Amino acid sequence: MIQPYSNSRTMKFEGDSKSSDLLIGNFGDVEFIANGQFDLAGMIYNPKGAVEFDIAGTGAVSFNGICRKLTVKNASGNCRLDFSKLNCKEVKFISVEGGSQVIIGATRFISEAILKDDAILQCSDKTILINYTVSDKSQIERMPKMAS
């Protein structure tokens, strides 16, 4: 979870949201919230900060760039999170459920991953998985070559 302090920010999208030019810059930690139907894409440049995603609904979220720590606090519904072109040191999935699909690019390690229902997590076979729980029909797919 992102620690609340003076330079943390929140980006919130509710209802029917579409944008392909989002930018999360190097200005501290960010909480990204999307609820409803969405098609959101952009770039993250936050090499010393953390970005936390809370996604519920139907649609796609896609980001490229770089960040130190990526946390998916919640991904529920029928959503696709594409971080295949995002470089991270650490990634953490607190809850990925429903028909959610998450694709992770160049990542040193996944510190936690909790998947439920029909959720799918795709990551490189070189990514280190430290702590994970897979229940129901969810799965972790290790891919030999992921985009970086």
Side-chain angles (χ1 to χ4, degrees), residues 55-110:
I55 309 294
T58 303
V61 174
S62 176
F63 278 93
N64 60 29
I66 185 170
C67 73
R68 180 182 52 83
K69 182 176 181 180
L70 174 72
T71 301
V72 177
K73 182 178 177 181
N74 176 47
S76 60
N78 189 15
C79 59
R80 177 184 166 108
L81 305 175
D82 185 356
F83 302 118
S84 61
K85 296 181 181 174
L86 182 68
N87 293 329
C88 299
K89 179 179 179 183
E90 175 185 359
V91 177
K92 183 176 187 176
F93 301 100
I94 296 171
S95 176
V96 180
E97 57 190 47
S100 299
Q101 178 183 15
V102 182
I103 304 168
I104 295 296
T107 300
R108 188 176 296 169
F109 64 93
I110 297 174

Side-chain angles (χ1 to χ4, degrees), residues 15-31:
D16 191 8
S17 304
K18 289 188 179 191
S19 182
S20 62
D21 56 358
L22 300 173
L23 177 63
I24 298 175
N26 195 21
F27 302 108
D29 296 342
V30 175
E31 183 177 12

Side-chain angles (χ1 to χ4, degrees), residues 5-66:
Y5 58 91
S6 62
N7 60 348
S8 68
R9 298 172 292 136
T10 300
M11 297 176 75
K12 192 170 192 176
F13 299 88
E14 292 187 348
D16 191 8
S17 304
K18 289 188 179 191
S19 182
S20 62
D21 56 358
L22 300 173
L23 177 63
I24 298 175
N26 195 21
F27 302 108
D29 296 342
V30 175
E31 183 177 12
F32 187 95
I33 301 169
N35 295 312
Q37 291 188 325
F38 45 83
D39 186 7
L40 304 168
M43 181 179 166
I44 297 174
Y45 181 77
N46 201 352
K48 295 184 181 182
V51 181
E52 180 179 282
F53 285 85
D54 188 347
I55 309 294
T58 303
V61 174
S62 176
F63 278 93
N64 60 29
I66 185 170

Side-chain angles (χ1 to χ4, degrees), residues 102-137:
V102 182
I103 304 168
I104 295 296
T107 300
R108 188 176 296 169
F109 64 93
I110 297 174
S111 61
E112 179 180 353
I114 300 173
L115 287 85
K116 304 173 193 169
D117 303 326
D118 293 323
I120 297 173
L121 169 62
Q122 294 178 328
C123 63
S124 168
D125 60 353
K126 294 183 180 186
T127 301
I128 299 168
L129 286 165
I130 295 176
N131 183 17
Y132 61 93
T133 302
V134 178
S135 62
D136 299 323
K137 295 180 183 177

